[in-house]
Amino acid sequence: EQSRDLVSELMNKVRNLSLELRPGMLDDMGLLPALHWLLERYETQTGLRVGFAHAGLEGQRFAHDIETAAYRITQEALTNVARHSKATEAGIMLARANGHVVLEVSDNGVGIPAHAAQEAHSLGLLGMRERARALNGDVRVQPGAVHGTIVAVTLPLTDPAPHGELPL
């Protein structure tokens, strides 16, 4: 009985981990609905309020790797907010501009020291940068103007998905 309970618990953990890494909604409905779902879960789990603004994305699909990178970078940036920032709220801005997906995750927390923003010692920051670089994109991490941290991401849209179709 204990073995069955343990296996069941482990299966639930694996299922949840898989869902968090890449929800089926990202494939089925695209980046915008997947981010709405992520933010709902994040707010429920952390108690942090997250504002979300987006422009030019309704009904838009992007290449599979672009959507995955934008989703995972957002997820990691929000994880860093919850773990390190002592923020009470965060904000996400997502837009399509000048042939790029532009993403900005900000918070009102204690901020990141300038030297730490440039260092690659953090696995979270390193992972975000590597995801973007793999797509010829860029991630900049900087202290906010007054408080908090800003993670600014640009991902070029060199291989856009055909309208209304899922990228392979």
Side-chain angles (χ1 to χ4, degrees), residues 6-149:
L6 181 59
V7 167
S8 179
E9 181 182 338
L10 288 173
M11 292 297 291
N12 283 334
K13 286 182 180 182
V14 167
R15 194 174 302 115
N16 285 336
L17 181 60
S18 169
L19 186 61
E20 287 178 13
L21 290 176
R22 180 163 182 87
M25 182 181 295
L26 188 56
D27 291 326
D28 297 341
M29 300 178 75
L31 181 59
L32 194 56
L35 287 177
H36 279 293
W37 175 82
L38 172 66
L39 298 180
E40 286 178 24
R41 284 179 52 108
Y42 180 83
E43 287 180 335
T44 299
Q45 291 172 345
T46 65
L48 286 166
R49 198 184 94 212
V50 181
F52 184 30
H54 53 85
L57 298 173
E58 288 294 334
Q60 293 289 309
R61 294 302 308 259
F62 303 109
H64 177 82
D65 53 353
I66 297 288
E67 290 188 343
T68 300
Y71 180 87
R72 294 288 289 133
I73 290 170
T74 301
Q75 186 179 45
E76 183 60 39
L78 288 173
T79 297
N80 287 344
V81 169
R83 285 186 183 158
H84 307 294
S85 75
K86 299 180 183 166
T88 57
E89 56 187 44
I92 295 177
M93 186 283 300
L94 181 67
R96 180 181 189 156
N98 301 322
H100 290 81
V101 170
V102 179
L103 169 68
E104 187 173 286
V105 180
S106 59
D107 67 71
N108 68 348
V110 296
I112 188 169
H115 72 278
Q118 304 309 316
E119 294 175 3
H121 300 303
S122 161
L123 289 179
L125 292 178
L126 181 62
M128 287 188 278
R129 287 187 172 122
E130 289 301 313
R131 281 185 185 280
R133 277 191 205 127
L135 300 170
N136 296 316
D138 182 53
V139 174
R140 292 178 325 269
V141 181
Q142 59 200 39
V146 178
H147 296 290
T149 301

